Amino acid sequence: MSEKTPEEKLAEATAWWKTGIIDIHPGAISIRGYAIQDLIGTVSFPQMIWLMLRGDLPTQAQARLLEAALVASVDHGPQAPSIAIARMAASVGADLNNAMASAINVLGDVHGGAGQQCMELYQAIAADAAGDLPGAVDRALEAFVAAHGKIIPGFGHRFHPVDPRCEPLLALVEEARRAGEVSGRFALIGREVEAGIQRRTGKPVPMNIDGVTAILFCELGFAAPLGRGLFILARAVGVLSHAWEESQSGSRMKGPMPRTIPYTYTGPAPRQVPKPDRSKT
Amino acid sequence: MSEKTPEEKLAEATAWWKTGIIDIHPGAISIRGYAIQDLIGTVSFPQMIWLMLRGDLPTQAQARLLEAALVASVDHGPQAPSIAIARMAASVGADLNNAMASAINVLGDVHGGAGQQCMELYQAIAADAAGDLPGAVDRALEAFVAAHGKIIPGFGHRFHPVDPRCEPLLALVEEARRAGEVSGRFALIGREVEAGIQRRTGKPVPMNIDGVTAILFCELGFAAPLGRGLFILARAVGVLSHAWEESQSGSRMKGPMPRTIPYTYTGPAPRQVPKPDRSKT
Amino acid sequence: MSEKTPEEKLAEATAWWKTGIIDIHPGAISIRGYAIQDLIGTVSFPQMIWLMLRGDLPTQAQARLLEAALVASVDHGPQAPSIAIARMAASVGADLNNAMASAINVLGDVHGGAGQQCMELYQAIAADAAGDLPGAVDRALEAFVAAHGKIIPGFGHRFHPVDPRCEPLLALVEEARRAGEVSGRFALIGREVEAGIQRRTGKPVPMNIDGVTAILFCELGFAAPLGRGLFILARAVGVLSHAWEESQSGSRMKGPMPRTIPYTYTGPAPRQVPKPDRSKT
Amino acid sequence: MSEKTPEEKLAEATAWWKTGIIDIHPGAISIRGYAIQDLIGTVSFPQMIWLMLRGDLPTQAQARLLEAALVASVDHGPQAPSIAIARMAASVGADLNNAMASAINVLGDVHGGAGQQCMELYQAIAADAAGDLPGAVDRALEAFVAAHGKIIPGFGHRFHPVDPRCEPLLALVEEARRAGEVSGRFALIGREVEAGIQRRTGKPVPMNIDGVTAILFCELGFAAPLGRGLFILARAVGVLSHAWEESQSGSRMKGPMPRTIPYTYTGPAPRQVPKPDRSKT
């Protein structure tokens, strides 16, 4: 399959795993060029997250917005599928890493990952809007609904008429905008999307946690898939906390509902297995 | 299966998913009794992690130690199994939540989860030591080796003769001890375990990242399994960063080594499938 | 949130988990209406798989084709990402269920899940072709390439010039067609897609395991996503076998390459951490 | 770190991934020495599973017992944690590979993996029993309860007074014993364990699916961890079937219980976030 020399193959192997994130030598670890011992005790955890993902340290103002988004997103209760999964996993004795994995695995497009789609929507609007923001929003919503259906990621909540996490996060964005730290452009876009949905549907569909953190992450310049990644880092805290609480509760083999509530069988009535056809060749 | 009334069954269902972590009502979310809007912008992400796991907010000094341990643990390079898994997953198009899940899943006893075992060792020594720390350490090491073999979790590294993350973390513990914020007891224990291993083996086996973060987590009063949980929250940052970097690299179906380096087959030589026995009844 | 009575809520809970697959009562289990004790020892494992997924038992001829597709798909070597993941997981002490989960998790669109996309392609051609099969194939390939790029799922292999699993599977389809057990329509479509790709590209891009099992699964009437599901049931055998072999090998913390082959760092040169900005409010 | 030559490093890399399971060359795949094209259409899926795990083909009688154990184990309803996890994952749009991974991940010691522990118990009894089977059973139960508590894996069921899967499987073992295909030794051991538990507890604790499949797997000479592995291969069918059924149901973000049934909050009453301590250095 190859006429390469051993030296060439070895060079290829050395280049196979390459990264710009971390450099390691015996006794030395550096992250994005910074010695690990210089970072420990100096940078905050959100700053470290930013450094790992982006390649440079954020300003304090940027780190503060990122920190607020992370704090806001840690948990939304034990009946969210991800958290219920983590708790059931803990009840069958799964170690915390395993319980966390099963739970984090489901944080995709529909459950938590909606922030990614919302960021893509905002970014499409930002790329289109030259002066006429409402027009750009209406065009983007039209295109989104045609492609994906009428649920707009980041807006509406089955439970909260108003999501209590939105206003404090938007207030922090406004504070940063006044200080010249962010443009405020995506806060405007988010609010206009909220208005645009009301124009389309005739009723208020208020922004939810995905819609507001998407504003923060766009203001901070993150790529859309990292919106999901950051949400996972935050929700991992809730997943861990619930798995831990469940593991301390003494439950064992916890199903989704108590055993006294049966499930409903909707399949065929009892029937006979047909006589096996022994003609198998 | 039950003579319970509908009311009783419903009460049982309501009690089935119970938690002391989070309370949610329409328009209101509170974490451990604190309204979410009062936490956003006020507490740091490490403080929020502590609140979720422990039930109360830490002091600034406690949060600072936790933050340093998290910062120190985010990554150890692309050839760690967890990170290689995340990168291979990204190369086959796995979404970030899925790539993270496959990677986090392997952070067990041997890989990263060693901090949990090390905390158990330290805590056993702390419970045993009444004045005679070296004696308690020797007894604990003796028992550990008898039960689990000669690799002591938290000590020794295949790569680093001295782990560069240890000294800055120990310096922060010492700083907190002088300020009366932590007892310093587990720093002593960790150092004595290092000495005890040298007494047993006749050679230095220096403390590694698991051994030093175990000191911090014990000083801060975390239960041992949460040592693993906190490590995962930190390493999740590295997992995400590497999965993201790989997903942007254009790789596709990346195996562990380049294709020009074949693997070794050690099984039987080519042979004929035996004539199928058609007597199956 | 609800004015429902306890009885209504309880009825809702009972209906929440409903299934047509399995009915369970104390001392009695039935699958799709068949008592489990009547199935044990009577139906083959592939027949049981079919019953679970489709609701009825297959004929012997149908089961034989399904069995052959499963047998053909169990493994493709330790350097496939999924298998490398399973083996690395085993080397860090993951239990077999955990090692299998991390591996199966990556069997998506690019890695193994290609059969699902290939089935969708075949089914689109089948829906379009009224007499003019080559024309329908060319239209479908045109549309696929426009939407997804030039790699046609189920055709071409980086390693095998001809995939040795194709001919024996196609021979079984032909045998079943002659016996009147399947239509043979999708075998024609698969072969025509192979020809159509050669018309487009000017070179042979032979059918691979995904392309040929997609023929079998389409002939058998499976929905496209179940093509992936069935592949996973088969590859799970390889995943388990490799995880088990690795767990017996004595390896520990096995990275993707030996430690003597370093990875390549492509990031910034060593630099100083900027003086922390203490202005954080 | 190494003075090895490129040739030596390359040889080390080639040996890094080694396996006795599968050999692959361009156009050729062989499993345990058998060409894949000779296996397809010739061996059954259970025979292939055995070949992959054990290195040689089983007899028809052995394959028949394995097949029956697999058929018996595919499913136990939507309220088992693994199945509920798969269904919730499907309801948030997880692809089938991801839904299956989250579910399979929890099939550990407590949930399904009990067969592994039960096999270890049987094998310990087999190694101890020289004539006095009841004595060996009583000693083994004594030791097990001392080490692990009073729940004996493989015996007792929260739902079934008698597990309907036991008798047909034991009948197949007896049939194979009479034909001289298996020793029947582990069937005796399993029955004696059942009797021994009744001697200890004074009440019948009948064998369950884990206890009976452990008999079959021990009779067939499988290592105990493979008992879990084989169970997973079987239960993966149920996991897939339920995930698929849920994905076709139109559900979205399905929590464990209907939203009209709230969960219970047990934490602190509403309280004020303490004034942030700005003394952080």
Side-chain angles (χ1 to χ4, degrees), chain A residues 20-63:
Chain A
I21 298 172
I22 186 166
D23 196 18
I24 304 181
H25 296 280
I29 298 171
S30 72
I31 304 281
R32 304 284 194 184
Y34 300 123
I36 191 73
Q37 63 271 26
D38 294 346
L39 294 165
I40 295 170
T42 306
V43 303
S44 71
F45 190 39
Q47 286 176 307
M48 190 66 170
I49 293 170
W50 182 297
L51 176 64
M52 288 286 291
L53 292 172
R54 303 284 290 269
D56 276 300
L57 285 163
T59 66
Q60 294 283 358
Q62 289 170 327

Side-chain angles (χ1 to χ4, degrees), chain B residues 32-270:
Chain B
R32 303 287 194 183
Y34 300 124
I36 190 74
Q37 62 270 26
D38 295 345
L39 293 167
I40 295 171
T42 306
V43 303
S44 71
F45 189 39
Q47 286 177 309
M48 189 67 170
I49 293 170
W50 183 298
L51 175 64
M52 288 285 292
L53 292 173
R54 303 284 290 269
D56 274 302
L57 284 163
T59 66
Q60 294 283 358
Q62 289 170 326
R64 182 166 149 78
L65 280 185
L66 173 59
E67 185 143 43
L70 294 169
V71 164
S73 304
V74 293
D75 194 14
H76 200 257
Q79 292 190 318
S82 56
I83 301 293
I85 287 172
R87 297 192 76 120
M88 290 197 292
S91 85
V92 297
D95 285 334
L96 289 172
N97 50 314
N98 305 129
M100 292 175 74
S102 277
I104 285 170
N105 207 29
V106 305
L107 296 174
D109 286 348
V110 171
H111 183 17
Q116 176 174 346
Q117 297 170 298
C118 187
M119 288 175 73
E120 288 162 358
L121 181 68
Y122 291 169
Q123 289 166 351
I125 293 166
D128 180 36
D132 174 23
L133 182 56
V137 162
D138 290 343
R139 285 189 293 278
L141 289 175
E142 190 71 34
F144 188 92
V145 169
H148 303 293
K150 67 191 162 109
I151 298 177
I152 306 297
F155 293 83
H157 205 286
R158 292 196 282 190
F159 193 81
H160 297 300
V162 174
D163 191 315
R165 297 164 289 193
C166 287
E167 282 314 315
L169 287 173
L170 289 173
L172 290 169
V173 173
E174 176 59 14
E175 187 183 312
R177 188 194 63 79
R178 288 194 189 153
E181 299 279 358
V182 300
S183 75
R185 175 173 182 67
F186 288 95
L188 289 178
I189 289 173
R191 282 300 186 202
E192 189 58 40
V193 170
E194 199 174 44
I197 296 172
Q198 184 153 6
R199 282 195 295 274
R200 287 181 65 86
T201 64
K203 55 182 180 185
V205 182
M207 191 181 292
N208 61 33
I209 181 72
D210 296 319
V212 69
T213 52
I215 289 175
L216 272 73
F217 297 148
C218 283
E219 292 284 352
L220 295 173
F222 281 96
L226 289 181
R228 178 182 302 186
L230 291 167
F231 171 77
I232 292 171
L233 294 183
R235 186 54 56 93
V237 178
V239 165
L240 170 61
S241 302
H242 282 277
W244 169 246
E245 188 186 51
E246 187 73 41
S247 75
Q248 300 302 296
S249 73
S251 68
R252 185 182 161 94
M253 276 286 276
K254 178 178 189 145
M257 299 195 300
R259 260 153 239 282
T260 50
I261 302 181
Y263 70 89
T264 301
Y265 173 65
T266 62

Side-chain angles (χ1 to χ4, degrees), chain A residues 33-113:
Chain A
Y34 300 123
I36 191 73
Q37 63 271 26
D38 294 346
L39 294 165
I40 295 170
T42 306
V43 303
S44 71
F45 190 39
Q47 286 176 307
M48 190 66 170
I49 293 170
W50 182 297
L51 176 64
M52 288 286 291
L53 292 172
R54 303 284 290 269
D56 276 300
L57 285 163
T59 66
Q60 294 283 358
Q62 289 170 327
R64 182 166 150 77
L65 281 185
L66 173 58
E67 186 144 43
L70 293 169
V71 164
S73 304
V74 292
D75 194 14
H76 199 257
Q79 291 189 317
S82 55
I83 301 295
I85 287 172
R87 296 191 77 119
M88 290 198 291
S91 85
V92 298
D95 284 334
L96 290 173
N97 50 315
N98 305 129
M100 291 175 75
S102 277
I104 286 171
N105 207 27
V106 306
L107 296 173
D109 285 349
V110 171
H111 183 17

Side-chain angles (χ1 to χ4, degrees), chain D residues 127-139:
Chain D
D128 179 37
D132 175 24
L133 184 55
V137 162
D138 289 345
R139 285 189 294 276

Side-chain angles (χ1 to χ4, degrees), chain D:
Chain D
M1 197 179 180
S2 163
E3 303 295 314
K4 290 176 180 161
T5 65
E7 284 79 3
E8 285 169 336
K9 288 185 183 179
L10 203 60
E12 197 183 18
T14 299
W16 191 247
W17 294 95
K18 66 176 177 230
T19 179
I21 298 172
I22 185 167
D23 196 18
I24 304 182
H25 296 280
I29 298 171
S30 72
I31 305 280
R32 304 287 193 183
Y34 300 124
I36 190 73
Q37 63 269 25
D38 294 345
L39 294 166
I40 295 170
T42 305
V43 303
S44 71
F45 189 38
Q47 286 177 306
M48 189 68 170
I49 293 170
W50 183 298
L51 175 64
M52 288 287 291
L53 291 172
R54 303 283 290 270
D56 275 301
L57 285 163
T59 66
Q60 295 284 358
Q62 290 169 326
R64 182 165 149 78
L65 282 185
L66 173 58
E67 186 144 41
L70 294 168
V71 164
S73 304
V74 293
D75 194 15
H76 200 257
Q79 292 189 317
S82 55
I83 301 294
I85 287 172
R87 297 192 74 121
M88 291 199 291
S91 85
V92 298
D95 284 335
L96 290 173
N97 50 314
N98 305 129
M100 292 175 74
S102 277
I104 286 171
N105 207 28
V106 305
L107 296 173
D109 285 350
V110 171
H111 182 17
Q116 176 174 347
Q117 297 170 298
C118 186
M119 288 174 73
E120 289 162 358
L121 180 68
Y122 291 170
Q123 289 166 350
I125 293 166
D128 179 37
D132 175 24
L133 184 55
V137 162
D138 289 345
R139 285 189 294 276
L141 288 175
E142 191 71 36
F144 188 92
V145 169
H148 303 293
K150 68 193 165 113
I151 298 177
I152 307 298
F155 294 83
H157 204 286
R158 292 196 283 193
F159 194 81
H160 297 300
V162 173
D163 192 314
R165 295 164 291 192
C166 288
E167 282 314 316
L169 288 173
L170 289 173
L172 290 169
V173 174
E174 176 59 13
E175 186 183 314
R177 188 194 64 78
R178 287 192 189 155
E181 299 279 355
V182 300
S183 75
R185 177 171 180 70
F186 288 95
L188 289 178
I189 289 173
R191 282 301 187 201
E192 189 59 41
V193 169
E194 200 173 45
I197 296 171
Q198 183 151 6
R199 283 194 295 272
R200 288 181 64 86
T201 64
K203 57 183 177 182
V205 182
M207 190 181 294
N208 61 32
I209 181 72
D210 296 320
V212 69
T213 52
I215 289 175
L216 272 74
F217 297 148
C218 283
E219 291 283 354
L220 296 173
F222 281 96
L226 289 180
R228 177 183 301 184
L230 291 166
F231 171 77
I232 293 170
L233 294 183
R235 187 53 57 93
V237 177
V239 165
L240 170 61
S241 302
H242 282 277
W244 169 246
E245 188 186 51
E246 187 73 42
S247 75
Q248 300 301 296
S249 74
S251 68
R252 186 181 160 93
M253 276 286 276
K254 177 177 189 144
M257 298 195 302
R259 262 152 237 282
T260 50
I261 303 181
Y263 70 90
T264 301
Y265 173 66
T266 62
R271 49 179 174 164
Q272 294 294 314
V273 176
K275 200 104 184 153
D277 168 7
R278 297 285 177 177
S279 63
K280 187 178 179 182
T281 50

